[in-house]
Amino acid sequence: MTSATTDLDSTAGSVPATYSPDAAFIASANADGALYERAASDQLGFWADQARRLQWDQPWTQVLDWSDAPVAKWFIDGKLNVAYNCVDRHVIDGHGEQVAIHWEGEPGDSRDITYSELLAEVSRAANYLTELGMRAGDRVAIYMPMVPEAIVSMLACARLGLTHSVVFAGFSPTALRQRVDDAEARLVITTDGQWRRGAAAPLKAAVDEALDGAPSSVEHVLVVRRTNIDVLWTEGRDLWWHDTVTDASPDHQAQGFDAEHPLFILYTSGTTGKPKGILHTTGGYLTQASYTHHNVFDHKAGHDVYWCTADIGWVTGHSYIVYGPLSNRATQVVYEGTPNSPDEHRHFEIIEKYGVTIYYTAPTLVRTFMKWGRQIPDAHNLSSLRLLGSVGEPINPEAWRWYRDVIGGNRTPIVDTWWQTETGAIMISPLPGVTATKPGAAMAPLPGISAKIVDDEGTELDSGRSGLLVLDQPWPSMLRGIWNDMDRFRETYWDRFAAAGWYFAGDGAKLDTDGDLWILGRVDDVMNVSGHRISTAEVESALVGHAGVAEAAVVGASDDTTGQAIVAFVILTADTAASGRLQVARNSADNTGAALIAELKAEVSREISPIARPREIHIVPELPKTRSGKIMRRLLRDVAEGRELGDTSTLVDPKVFETIARG
Ligand code: WT7
């Protein structure tokens, strides 16, 4: 079928090759083509315009100082308060009664929070954190499920100039401890427990476990009661939110902080076992988070009901649940649970209940919906939706079309947004009222952003050729470094194209013959499982942490639902191999052999997080290595994906695969 909004490609039968916005969308869109022209003619002037969308306590004297590259300074001498921009100013402007958050708890409880109420909550938390002795520059770890207090905590930190480090509540005590130690957090904010598929699971217990043993920098643990689950209590250290924050004064005067004041640290996986604390600052970050949320999602304050399904434990939650939407006075849905709790209708019920107009999620969830079947969304009235977004991994054209047809009623534009924890905000994406989109393509850098696709030598590639994605101009929300490790910051992102001064993103990309940009996925040893970034080295180190494992190699193999799945190859220690457990493990016929493999999978879940649990573990006698001892993951990927082996000529022992296959 055809519609006014689809452009048929004569060579592809009835499948539209591109999807143009319809006239009504174009007419009322926040962004038009002029935005590209303005940015191209005066990039710094353009970013200054965007920064003026915020309220500054002191104006900047210079837009960008790049003299200390690769550490940028944006909006020099400017001062602003992030929480004031996200909350107070909307109340002062007369929108105190507007709902900021429609919060939907997993067990079915819900709570609407207006901007006035949010201001009171954030002010109480800010007053109490001040009373606790927290001072601007101190670090606070936030280890919480998707409860309103998590957002309140982030905003209270921002308000006081405390640098928050949100740690995903699915991470293990070990992972939490590593992050708390690296940032030297003085305070951890958590909940007693969290709801997961109808059951209360402990969370504070994980904080206790993390802080047990060696002394840490943590002075207090502030605990929100969510599930009423039993908790152990350390007198003097532990504090209930409802005994402290709740009683604090709801009035608090925000003060402006320097544009380069550290706003948050967010740990993400790199190519080694040690996570990187990505540092973001204040003025540039908020400018770009706000600008992109306004233009990419075409957000209309007071009209739209926006829902980003991410968790605040990831950068998407920081930029597109907290800072971007709230700075733009959004009314948004925040949902605590999983999409199939109590059943697969949950997201669609929420869309109907609140009349969601903008829905932003990950391709893995779209593919999960596809698997569940269209009868589920079809049972709901989703006509309120007017824009859909995708983030976290490349979206395959089939999933893109299904998303648009089934969820979007073949009506809504889709914005496929490419960015990273490091970029802080969206970099490459269609503009929904401008771009004729192609299923699967991120299309073009946003106005103000510049990217190139180059070969290993940095030569720009012609259309059709795959290469490396680089960002060749600084941008306001760029990372300012890796916490405690500026050498690694330079090495990881800047050394590759040091002469040109470009940022190397770690992704492959290509331009098609129309000049439209396609992201091809990571080119380094970073996996992407359901949009979560996990390093092969991290999983390998968890595996070799098990006494029975001598060596491990991990690869990401393509998976229909999760994009990539983790496949591990392990060599057992001689003792374990001799103990007969290997025989047991190999003997899958009676299934008893699964025991050791199950134990290893559990070990990875425990050490890192359930999201890092391997889909498959193969016990093998040897691993394919080059003469320099480097494991050839490319070949293991071939094995994991059942492909014919690529070039094995550089292997020390090309026969290794016979034994791997037998293993
Ligand atoms: C990596 C960054 C951006 C927030 C969530 C993930 C991949 C992200 C897309 C997209 C293709 C994408 C890249 C990137 N990625 N968005 N629209 N199309 N790939 O943040 O954990 O920092 O991961 O996610 O590989 O490098 P992150």
Side-chain angles (χ1 to χ4, degrees):
M1 69 151 256
T2 63
S3 88
T5 64
T6 55
D7 315 311
L8 290 186
D9 175 353
S10 54
T11 60
S14 61
V15 179
T18 63
Y19 295 74
S20 306
D22 64 32
F25 198 107
I26 295 170
S28 63
N30 289 348
D32 60 20
L35 210 60
Y36 290 102
E37 287 155 33
R38 164 82 178 125
S41 68
D42 176 10
Q43 197 177 22
L44 295 183
F46 169 84
W47 283 119
D49 290 348
Q50 301 313 321
R52 274 184 220 106
R53 298 182 63 251
L54 305 175
Q55 173 85 44
W56 294 73
D57 295 332
Q58 184 178 300
W60 58 89
T61 54
Q62 188 186 339
V63 176
L64 169 69
D65 177 359
W66 190 225
S67 60
D68 197 21
V71 183
K73 292 192 199 75
W74 283 86
F75 308 114
I76 319 303
D77 298 326
K79 283 196 194 331
L80 75 168
N81 187 287
V82 168
Y84 179 92
N85 272 281
C86 289
V87 189
D88 305 44
R89 66 169 171 151
H90 307 319
V91 176
I92 292 164
D93 290 349
H95 301 289
E97 295 314 304
Q98 185 186 323
V99 172
I101 297 171
H102 291 296
W103 180 74
E104 183 80 7
E106 196 197 69
D109 49 340
S110 61
R111 198 176 143 193
D112 281 352
I113 302 166
T114 64
Y115 274 97
S116 291
E117 289 165 344
L118 187 60
L119 176 58
E121 295 279 306
V122 171
S123 299
R124 284 194 178 95
N127 281 322
Y128 183 64
L129 296 188
T130 304
E131 197 181 314
L132 263 186
M134 303 298 296
R135 293 291 175 265
D138 289 346
R139 273 81 59 204
V140 175
I142 297 177
Y143 185 58
M144 299 172 93
M146 293 290 288
V147 292
E149 291 84 352
I151 296 171
V152 169
S153 297
M154 292 168 74
L155 291 167
C157 287
R159 190 175 190 90
L160 297 174
L162 305 171
T163 302
H164 61 67
S165 162
V166 181
V167 180
F168 176 55
F171 274 132
S172 66
T174 316
L176 173 64
R177 177 65 191 245
Q178 195 175 24
R179 288 159 175 75
V180 160
D181 285 351
D182 188 69
E184 295 173 278
R186 292 182 61 196
L187 173 70
V188 179
I189 310 181
T190 190
T191 59
D192 54 351
Q194 56 181 331
W195 290 106
R196 273 296 168 260
R197 297 195 168 87
L203 189 64
K204 182 189 182 268
V207 179
D208 294 336
E209 193 182 327
L211 300 183
D212 271 357
S216 80
S217 51
V218 174
E219 295 159 34
H220 291 289
V221 178
L222 182 56
V223 189
V224 171
R225 185 140 74 198
R226 171 59 186 139
T227 60
N228 257 321
I229 206 167
D230 283 343
V231 290
L232 294 175
W233 209 248
T234 303
E235 280 312 324
R237 185 195 70 181
D238 298 347
L239 306 155
W240 281 115
W241 180 284
H242 58 260
D243 287 339
T244 56
V245 175
T246 309
D247 297 335
S249 159
D251 300 314
H252 181 270
Q253 196 67 42
Q255 116 194 32
F257 288 97
D258 191 272
E260 286 301 332
H261 187 78
L263 179 63
F264 67 86
I265 305 167
L266 184 60
Y267 288 84
T268 187
S269 295
T271 54
T272 72
K274 191 173 183 284
K276 303 178 284 197
I278 303 301
L279 176 66
H280 284 287
T281 59
T282 296
Y285 171 79
L286 193 64
T287 295
Q288 195 175 330
S290 192
Y291 152 73
T292 50
H293 175 264
H294 178 74
N295 290 293
V296 173
F297 298 110
D298 192 44
H299 175 261
K300 310 278 199 288
H303 297 278
D304 278 308
V305 179
Y306 166 86
W307 183 14
C308 166
T309 70
D311 190 286
I312 49 146
W314 314 114
V315 74
T316 310
H318 285 60
S319 302
Y320 298 107
I321 294 177
V322 183
Y323 297 114
L326 295 178
S327 70
N328 288 325
R329 188 168 47 89
T331 292
Q332 67 176 320
V333 170
V334 173
Y335 171 51
E336 182 184 36
T338 54
N340 53 355
S341 187
D343 61 34
E344 292 80 4
H345 290 269
R346 191 67 188 264
H347 271 217
F348 309 110
E349 281 164 4
I350 293 174
I351 292 172
E352 257 187 316
K353 175 174 174 185
Y354 295 107
V356 171
T357 58
I358 303 169
Y359 179 75
Y360 187 32
T361 197
T364 186
L365 187 62
V366 175
R367 291 191 296 266
T368 301
F369 289 154
M370 288 171 77
K371 232 171 35 186
W372 291 344
R374 70 171 295 160
Q375 75 284 356
I376 293 173
D378 282 352
H380 300 272
N381 177 2
L382 306 180
S383 62
S384 57
L385 290 171
R386 65 177 197 90
L387 181 78
L388 301 174
S390 174
V391 63
E393 52 174 319
I395 180 164
N396 48 309
E398 191 198 352
W400 194 105
R401 290 199 164 88
W402 192 93
Y403 194 23
R404 178 174 159 110
D405 289 345
V406 178
I407 309 298
N410 192 27
R411 193 182 63 243
T412 56
I414 295 181
V415 287
D416 175 7
T417 62
W418 178 88
W419 58 297
Q420 309 177 300
T421 305
E422 292 86 342
T423 69
I426 299 171
M427 302 292 284
I428 300 175
S429 168
L431 283 177
V434 180
T435 316
T437 52
K438 280 182 193 157
M443 302 302 293
L446 288 177
I449 301 300
S450 181
K452 286 188 194 315
I453 296 167
V454 300
D455 65 13
D456 273 325
E457 278 68 54
T459 309
E460 228 175 313
L461 294 175
D462 296 337
S463 63
R465 292 185 56 203
S466 303
L468 305 173
L469 179 66
V470 298
L471 302 168
D472 59 317
Q473 298 283 334
W475 62 100
S477 64
M478 68 195 297
L479 76 168
R480 302 301 198 263
I482 294 177
W483 190 259
N484 278 337
D485 203 345
M486 291 307 274
D487 289 340
R488 189 173 178 196
F489 168 63
R490 284 169 216 276
E491 280 157 27
T492 308
Y493 307 107
W494 304 95
D495 278 3
R496 184 95 179 231
F497 298 106
W502 296 336
Y503 170 91
F504 170 54
D507 278 288
K510 69 167 190 208
L511 296 177
D512 65 18
T513 45
D514 301 324
D516 295 324
L517 197 150
W518 298 68
I519 303 286
L520 304 171
R522 303 289 307 192
V523 295
D524 52 14
D525 291 332
V526 172
M527 299 175 289
N528 189 327
V529 181
S530 298
H532 299 315
R533 205 161 136 177
I534 301 165
S535 88
T536 55
E538 235 173 324
V539 180
E540 285 163 5
S541 94
L543 285 166
V544 298
H546 186 282
V549 175
E551 226 183 314
V554 165
V555 296
S558 61
D559 183 281
D560 284 348
T561 306
T562 58
Q564 284 190 313
I566 301 177
V567 178
F569 297 84
V570 301
I571 304 178
L572 299 182
T573 56
D575 283 357
T576 310
S579 72
R581 296 193 70 187
L582 172 58
Q583 289 311 319
V584 176
R586 275 181 176 173
N587 182 3
S588 53
D590 63 359
N591 242 346
T592 52
L596 178 61
I597 287 172
E599 199 177 304
L600 293 176
K601 287 184 183 177
E603 175 84 4
V604 178
S605 290
R606 200 164 42 239
E607 270 300 304
I608 308 172
S609 157
I611 57 177
R613 184 187 176 91
R615 182 185 72 186
E616 292 164 37
I617 297 183
H618 301 279
I619 295 172
V620 294
E622 280 174 81
L623 290 170
K625 289 193 183 149
T626 61
R627 282 168 192 83
S628 62
K630 197 170 161 4
I631 294 171
M632 294 198 65
R633 288 202 179 71
R634 178 174 56 77
L635 295 174
L636 289 174
R637 262 194 302 273
D638 290 341
V639 175
E641 293 177 349
R643 262 195 312 274
E644 205 153 298
L645 292 183
D647 180 14
T648 57
S649 60
T650 54
L651 285 178
V652 179
D653 175 11
K655 286 207 172 58
V656 67
F657 280 100
E658 292 171 22
T659 51
I660 287 179
R662 267 188 272 121

